[in-house]
Amino acid sequence: MDDRKRFTGRTVLVTGAGTGIGAALCRRVAGEGANLVLTGRREAPLQQVAASLPGPSVVVPADVAVAEQAEAVVAAGVEAFGTLDVVVANAGGHVPGAAADVGDAAWRYSLHANLDSAFVTVRAALPHLIRARGAVVVVSSIAGLFAGPGVVGYVTGKHALIGLTRSLARDYGRFGVRANAVCPGWVRTAMADEQMDDLGRRRGLDRDQAYALVAKDTPLARVAEPEEIAAVIAFLASPEASAMTGSVVVADCGAGAVDLPTLAFAD
């Protein structure tokens, strides 16, 4: 198999496609022959990514957590390319706050942006994915496995995405649809940049120093780049992962391998 063209003739829908991991994934699979359906709330970044792609694409700005808008995105992709083979549920959002500090609106926003967007998009796409014997890749986070401080909505939404992935795998595997989740750790994206800048203000560090600080206890001692996570997603979406469904793949530069109570013994 020519692994550089794993997506020739296949249509890939990416939510949150305008920046970060979503944008990197679009470039990755477009380079491997995919037709792209790019969606997200802001049209300008989507158009910029689409203009950089070597293959065909359609841009459909939408809030994919809203059923009618998600259905319109799916319909536009099928109308443009005749099929829908892969959905990558990458959209998300980050609202800080521990449980006592988060109001109802912020809580609902966290679940809307991180969980509803994936569920509603995949639900709209399932008839086409069944027809194509397609694949779903859900972008969760190591916040879906562990709890960071003061981000109760984000942690809860990312944990729930793993449950969604396993439920999809359980219910639709017999129809030929695979569903897997990816859990990145820190990735150098616009959203992470904002968090590093906030950390830097509190610690007197610049952005790069803040990234270095959060990575210092991980085995690789660095954060990931969006292209590295895109490569993992592309593998899971490709025929090369044909025996994988219901899997949770961690790509965190080793953060989850660290026994936290032993850090005091490290050099």
Side-chain angles (χ1 to χ4, degrees):
M1 177 185 294
D2 181 354
D3 65 1
R4 294 170 299 176
K5 296 296 181 184
R6 294 175 296 185
F7 294 92
T8 298
R10 304 180 76 200
T11 301
V12 179
L13 187 162
V14 181
T15 72
T19 59
I21 294 170
L25 177 69
C26 290
R27 290 190 288 269
R28 172 81 189 213
V29 297
E32 297 190 33
N35 308 314
L36 263 299
V37 183
L38 293 81
T39 188
R41 294 188 183 190
R42 297 178 297 142
E43 182 172 4
L46 297 173
Q47 293 290 0
Q48 290 176 351
V49 174
S52 72
L53 301 179
S57 64
V58 293
V59 169
V60 191
D63 178 351
V64 290
V66 177
E68 293 80 5
Q69 296 186 40
E71 290 164 3
V73 173
V74 169
V78 173
E79 181 179 0
F81 302 118
T83 185
L84 180 58
D85 302 276
V86 174
V87 169
V88 178
N90 171 66
H94 183 271
V95 178
D101 308 316
V102 172
D104 290 349
W107 173 256
R108 292 193 188 97
Y109 172 78
S110 291
L111 298 185
H112 180 92
N114 293 293
L115 178 59
D116 294 355
S117 60
F119 170 72
V120 172
T121 303
V122 172
R123 183 179 62 187
L126 270 169
H128 304 284
L129 294 174
I130 291 170
R131 194 171 301 122
R133 301 182 71 80
V136 175
V137 182
V138 174
V139 181
S140 179
S141 165
I142 57 170
L145 302 170
F146 313 107
V151 282
V152 62
Y154 188 76
V155 166
T156 303
K158 293 299 187 183
H159 273 69
L161 285 174
I162 293 175
L164 172 63
T165 301
R166 289 173 171 154
S167 184
L168 291 169
R170 182 72 177 84
D171 291 338
Y172 294 97
R174 299 297 176 89
F175 297 93
V177 177
R178 297 185 299 107
N180 294 289
V182 177
C183 292
W186 283 111
V187 184
R188 194 179 291 270
T189 64
M191 188 173 83
D193 284 351
E194 292 178 3
Q195 294 173 271
M196 293 306 121
D197 291 345
D198 179 62
L199 176 63
R201 282 190 290 273
R202 289 188 278 131
R203 297 291 189 95
L205 305 172
D206 63 26
R207 181 181 294 171
D208 287 339
Q209 289 171 326
Y211 272 117
L213 178 62
V214 300
K216 74 179 183 65
D217 291 319
T218 65
L220 295 184
R222 66 175 179 85
V223 302
E225 298 297 330
E227 290 76 14
E228 293 178 284
I229 307 305
V232 177
I233 296 170
F235 165 71
L236 291 172
S238 79
E240 291 181 293
S242 57
M244 296 179 68
T245 194
S247 298
V248 178
V249 178
V250 178
D252 64 351
C253 295
V258 175
D259 180 3
L260 292 178
T262 67
L263 285 177
F265 293 90
D267 291 335

